[in-house]
């Protein structure tokens, strides 16, 4: 039974281990760490910790780096966060993980991870928004920060373990396994912390209000609750109602939300992007041909949906799956099944460019990408695909010019600097290429590697001004490394 409880609770909210008392007394023999109150984990320290965890997380093979997915999920998260009560404590960043288990979690620093399996299980954008809203509420109410520093012994140990692993990574030991382990630990933080019932209820209620104000259908949260409890009990091969009756927390949470949602219908029209991202993830989450076959079955079934957005997205998902399987003709067939009723779709345009690039049809790819960029000037994914097409056509001048504008548009988007370095390098501009790579590493939190690239750049020039400019930057990063280490040392056991 414990396992069932645990599974369902994790499902309904990664952050609630209901059967574990939260305020454990500090057992004798557990050394106290130097943190005693939430004020010690200020938002900026929390962000630093989150950045350090994410630096490792991005290297996790299950991390989905597709900018299309992250940009969409993050836009939903930020749209909701605008309606959070009080001042924003963190900038929200939402990413997806390749994992069929239905789960979502919040990390320190405003990072929220959503498993691909959870997104695939939703059947409307409001359902997905309800999960993101709940996690955003945990972040904004500073439940993570408070939980790690105050509430429980497990929070302390967790934080100490992460700090230890991150220190090893910062030392440049290059121990990837260690770093990934730290990410795994971090992903489990909220599960291990076991938020209080009040915290869970607060996250539900605030999440619901944010949903309402952001224009989503509040009933999405109720649908999600029942969908999750059904799928969890199916997994356990038990009747769903048994669990729902015997688990007071979930019943309590559900009836609390039920009372608040009310009967008034809200007409939320799903963003078409939701359906296409969901279909992309159904294709992307398959790890082997068996899972691909299973995903194809699901998508095939959805091509018969009465919802035309879902139908079109399912054909796109099948096309994307065929692209992954290196079956371009099949991919094109599925693309042709997409009706024009939803207009032009950024995801479909991107896939057409990728297919052209794969076929070495570079001129055609660039033509398609030029039109796509004109149609989707706010899509990071299309921007990157356009740069790839330019680079394939050896048009590095235009790639650099384009990237300079995109860097002004999205200064925090690390991939832009990586692409920029590629073109600069091909033009023999080695110093600038290394500086650009240094920025890429700085943005992804890999400070020691950033310093390495700047040092290489410094060694390539005799120009006094360039040298001293680089020296300033190198010193700045080294100082940051020292202060990051000092911070993490405080959390070590
Ligand atoms: Zn929660």
């Amino acid at each position: 039974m414990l396992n069932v409880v645990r599974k369902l609770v994790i499902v309904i909210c990664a952050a609630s281990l209901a059967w574990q008392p939260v305020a454990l007394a500090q057992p004798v023999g557990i050394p106290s760490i130097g943190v005693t109150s939430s004020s010690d984990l200020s938002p900026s320290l929390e962000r630093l910790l989150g950045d350090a965890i994410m630096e490792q997380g991005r290297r996790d093979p299950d991390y989905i780096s597709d900018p299309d997915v992250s940009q969409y999920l993050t836009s939903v998260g930020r749209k909701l966060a605008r309606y959070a009560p009080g001042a924003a404590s963190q900038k929200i960043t939402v990413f997806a993980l390749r994992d069929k288990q239905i789960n979502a979690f919040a990390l320190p620093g405003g990072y929220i991870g959503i498993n691909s399996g959870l997104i695939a299980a939703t059947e409307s954008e409001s359902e997905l928004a309800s999960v993101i809203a709940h996690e955003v509420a945990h972040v904004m109410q500073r439940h993570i920060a408070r939980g790690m520093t105050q509430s429980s012994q497990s929070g302390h140990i967790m934080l100490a373990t992460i700090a230890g692993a991150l220190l090893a990574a910062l030392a440049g030991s290059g121990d990837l396994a260690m770093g990934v382990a730290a990410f795994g630990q971090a992903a489990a933080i909220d599960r291990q912390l076991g938020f209080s019932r009040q915290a869970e209820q607060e996250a539900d209620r605030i999440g619901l209000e944010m949903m309402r104000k952001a224009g989503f259908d509040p009933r999405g949260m109720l649908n999600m609750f029942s969908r999750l409890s059904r799928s969890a009990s199916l997994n356990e091969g038990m009747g769903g109602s048994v669990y729902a009756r015997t688990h007071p927390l979930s019943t309590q949470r559900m009836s609390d939300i039920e009372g608040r949602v009310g009967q008034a219908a809200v007409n939320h029209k799903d963003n078409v992007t939701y359906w296409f991202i969901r279909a992309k993830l159904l294709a992307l989450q398959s790890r082997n041909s068996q899972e691909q076959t299973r995903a194809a079955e699901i998508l095939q079934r959805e091509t018969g949906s009465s919802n035309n957005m879902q139908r079109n997205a399912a054909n796109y998902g099948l096309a994307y799956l065929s692209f992954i399987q290196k079956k371009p003709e099949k991919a094109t067939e599925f693309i042709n099944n997409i009706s024009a009723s939803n207009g032009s779709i950024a995801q479909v345009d991107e896939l057409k460019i990728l297919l052209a690039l794969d076929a070495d049809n570079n001129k055609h790819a660039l033509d398609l990408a030029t039109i796509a960029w004109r149609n989707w000037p706010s899509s990071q994914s299309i921007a990157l695909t356009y740069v790839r097409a330019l680079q394939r056509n050896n048009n590095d001048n235009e790639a650099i010019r384009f990237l300079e504008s995109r860097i002004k548009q999205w200064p925090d988007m690390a991939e832009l600097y990586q692409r920029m370095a590629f073109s600069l390098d091909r033009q023999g501009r080695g110093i600038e290429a290394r500086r650009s790579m240094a920025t890429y590493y700085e943005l992804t939190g890999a400070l020691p590697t950033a310093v390495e690239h700047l040092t290489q750049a410094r060694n390539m020039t005799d120009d006094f001004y360039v040298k001293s400019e680089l020296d300033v930057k190198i010193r700045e990063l080294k100082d940051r490394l020292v202060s990051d280490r000092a911070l993490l040392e405080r959390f070590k056991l």
Side-chain angles (χ1 to χ4, degrees), residues 12-16 134-135 138 143 190 195 199-200 203-204 253:
I12 285 192
C13 171
S16 64
H134 179 99
E135 299 299 333
H138 275 314
H143 291 158
D190 49 6
F195 290 146
E200 283 314 311
D204 285 343
R253 280 177 64 189

Side-chain angles (χ1 to χ4, degrees), residues 44-337:
S44 60
L45 295 191
E46 193 195 325
R47 182 74 191 186
L48 182 61
L49 199 58
D51 285 348
I53 291 167
M54 284 307 293
E55 190 231 323
Q56 307 302 322
R58 289 191 195 93
R59 295 195 240 168
D60 188 308
D62 286 337
Y63 176 83
I64 295 178
S65 59
D66 189 321
D68 201 24
V69 174
S70 337
Q71 193 181 18
Y72 167 70
L73 293 175
T74 297
S75 75
V76 174
R78 290 187 183 168
K79 187 175 173 185
L80 290 159
R82 275 206 292 275
Y83 301 99
S89 62
Q90 296 293 344
K91 189 165 104 183
I92 298 294
T93 307
V94 191
F95 60 95
L97 285 174
R98 187 177 290 103
D99 192 330
K100 289 186 155 181
Q101 218 196 336
I102 296 176
N103 202 1
F105 53 89
L107 296 174
Y111 293 101
I112 293 170
I114 313 272
N115 283 0
S116 55
L118 185 144
I119 298 165
T122 61
E123 284 184 26
S124 75
E125 192 178 28
S126 293
E127 288 181 14
L128 174 61
S130 78
V131 174
I132 299 178
H134 179 99
E135 299 299 333
V136 168
H138 275 314
V139 170
M140 293 304 186
Q141 297 306 108
R142 308 215 64 226
H143 291 158
I144 313 275
R146 269 188 260 152
M148 278 199 298
T149 51
Q150 287 187 321
S151 60
S152 69
Q153 158 229 348
S154 65
H156 286 183
I157 293 173
M158 186 66 56
L159 191 51
T161 312
I162 297 167
L166 291 176
L167 271 169
L170 269 189
S173 67
D175 188 344
L176 183 60
M178 188 82 165
V180 171
F183 183 62
Q185 296 275 4
I189 285 181
D190 49 6
R191 237 175 290 165
Q192 300 277 337
L193 285 178
F195 290 146
S196 64
R197 282 176 191 208
Q198 290 97 307
E200 283 314 311
Q201 197 168 59
E202 191 175 51
D204 285 343
R205 289 178 179 181
I206 289 174
L208 190 70
E209 271 320 292
M210 290 192 290
M211 279 183 77
R212 213 191 288 275
K213 287 177 179 156
F216 292 103
D217 183 352
R219 286 171 306 175
M221 188 173 273
L222 276 182
N223 293 347
M224 201 60 203
F225 272 158
S226 51
R227 194 180 303 291
L228 293 175
S229 60
R230 260 202 318 274
S231 75
S233 46
L234 277 179
N235 286 344
E236 293 296 330
M238 288 177 58
S241 55
V242 177
Y243 180 75
R245 277 200 308 272
T246 54
H247 195 273
L249 182 58
S250 94
T251 313
Q252 185 194 324
R253 280 177 64 189
M254 275 185 85
S255 58
D256 181 52
I257 291 307
E258 221 158 358
R260 279 157 198 274
V261 166
Q263 296 304 312
V266 171
N267 244 334
H268 171 78
K269 193 173 176 303
D270 287 343
N271 184 336
V272 70
T273 309
Y274 157 76
W275 285 106
F276 279 78
I277 293 294
R278 178 182 172 279
K280 192 182 217 177
L281 286 170
L282 266 164
L284 272 177
Q285 75 172 353
S286 313
R287 294 163 199 268
N288 52 45
S289 57
Q290 217 177 348
E291 290 187 2
Q292 286 173 347
T293 309
R294 177 87 192 100
E297 282 166 13
I298 296 170
L299 287 163
Q300 196 67 58
R301 205 178 323 127
E302 294 189 2
T303 58
S305 162
S306 57
N307 174 342
N308 83 69
M309 282 195 270
Q310 185 173 19
R311 220 161 45 226
N312 282 335
N315 275 305
Y316 161 75
L318 287 164
Y320 201 87
L321 201 55
S322 307
F323 162 69
I324 294 172
Q325 294 172 317
K326 304 271 173 223
K327 294 175 185 164
E329 292 86 10
K330 269 188 88 176
T332 307
E333 258 174 59
F334 285 120
I335 288 177
N336 291 337
N337 287 344

Side-chain angles (χ1 to χ4, degrees), residues 353-392:
I353 304 165
L354 294 177
L355 285 163
L357 285 172
D358 255 18
D360 274 331
N361 213 338
N362 295 334
K363 176 76 181 63
H364 182 53
L366 185 55
D367 288 344
L368 290 175
T370 307
I371 298 167
W373 174 248
R374 213 177 296 144
N375 288 337
W376 308 106
S378 54
S379 163
Q380 296 179 342
S381 201
I382 295 285
L384 278 183
T385 318
Y386 177 58
V387 173
R388 276 181 63 191
L390 284 170
Q391 289 175 336
R392 271 292 191 85

